[in-house]
Amino acid sequence: LIHAQAIHSARLFVRQALADALSQDFLAVYQRHNIEQDYAPDASQIGRRSLKNTALSYLMLVDQVGVDLASQQFESADNMTDKATALSCLVNCPAAAPQAETALQQFEQQYRDEALVMNLWLQVQAANSQPGGLQRVEELEGHGTFTLSNPNKIRSLIGGFCNGNLVNFHSPDGSGYEF
């Protein structure tokens, strides 16, 4: 028997302990790699963005600093990797609920005519591991951007929930399985 909630809780505990112990190091890494330069899809920039965004994910667990950085990154990002990571960080942080709601609305407004980007918008919300995951997914099924006739939409929303939100999918009450 696999205890998804216990695994999730243990992972959060370890991430929180690392964030608390290394917050200044994570902040230094974030700042060192948060540089303005013309976007290029080369290995060097990809690596720097990845490292910066990993540091940001840990900083989200430390006071308000992560929320502020993620909000700033969301607003100023000149590439989808940074914008999507900031959105995901905000959406998955209980302390950033107001900022997350604003960011989701702005993202939807900006990209509502871009089907592939809206798939990302659906997926970020479906993978949100905070309580109420299934309810969020069921509400998104009624959103105008979602349709059961498009496999990419199904993969983004339903797949995002089943594969990216294990704690809600494997809910002890069986609701994720029933869904």
Side-chain angles (χ1 to χ4, degrees), residues 6-179:
I7 294 168
H8 180 73
S9 296
R11 181 178 181 273
L12 284 177
F13 174 81
V14 170
R15 285 181 49 80
Q16 185 67 59
L18 288 170
D20 290 340
L22 301 171
S23 63
Q24 292 306 310
D25 295 316
F26 284 128
L27 183 58
V29 166
Y30 182 85
Q31 290 171 335
R32 184 169 49 250
H33 296 286
N34 190 32
I35 54 177
E36 288 188 30
Q37 60 185 9
D38 290 336
Y39 176 83
D42 61 42
S44 177
Q45 279 195 21
I46 291 169
R48 284 193 300 276
R49 279 191 298 275
S50 180
L51 184 57
K52 173 187 74 171
N53 288 326
T54 298
L56 178 61
S57 74
Y58 280 96
L59 289 168
M60 295 303 294
L61 302 170
V62 181
D63 300 323
Q64 185 68 26
V65 67
V67 174
D68 293 341
L69 290 172
S71 294
Q72 291 167 9
Q73 179 170 310
F74 179 82
E75 292 295 329
S76 65
D78 65 351
N79 64 80
M80 191 54 70
T81 300
D82 284 347
K83 188 170 261 323
T85 298
L87 180 65
S88 182
C89 283
L90 291 168
V91 164
N92 283 285
C93 179
Q99 294 91 335
E101 188 59 37
T102 299
L104 284 167
Q105 290 171 359
Q106 289 176 351
F107 194 93
E108 179 185 14
Q109 185 70 21
Q110 183 174 0
Y111 299 108
R112 67 175 168 230
D113 295 328
E114 302 289 336
L116 294 178
V117 180
M118 289 305 292
N119 291 348
L120 177 62
W121 181 81
L122 289 168
Q123 185 175 355
V124 164
Q125 293 176 82
N128 178 351
S129 63
Q130 294 181 69
L134 179 56
Q135 179 182 351
R136 281 188 300 279
V137 168
E138 290 173 334
E139 289 171 5
L140 286 166
E141 281 183 305
H143 190 277
T145 195
F146 180 78
T147 176
L148 282 172
S149 65
N150 183 324
N152 288 329
K153 300 293 183 192
I154 294 168
R155 181 194 51 77
S156 296
L157 184 61
I158 310 303
F161 175 68
C162 297
N163 296 314
N165 192 343
L166 300 180
V167 69
N168 280 296
F169 177 69
H170 296 292
S171 177
D173 67 4
S175 58
Y177 302 144
E178 185 178 329
F179 173 74

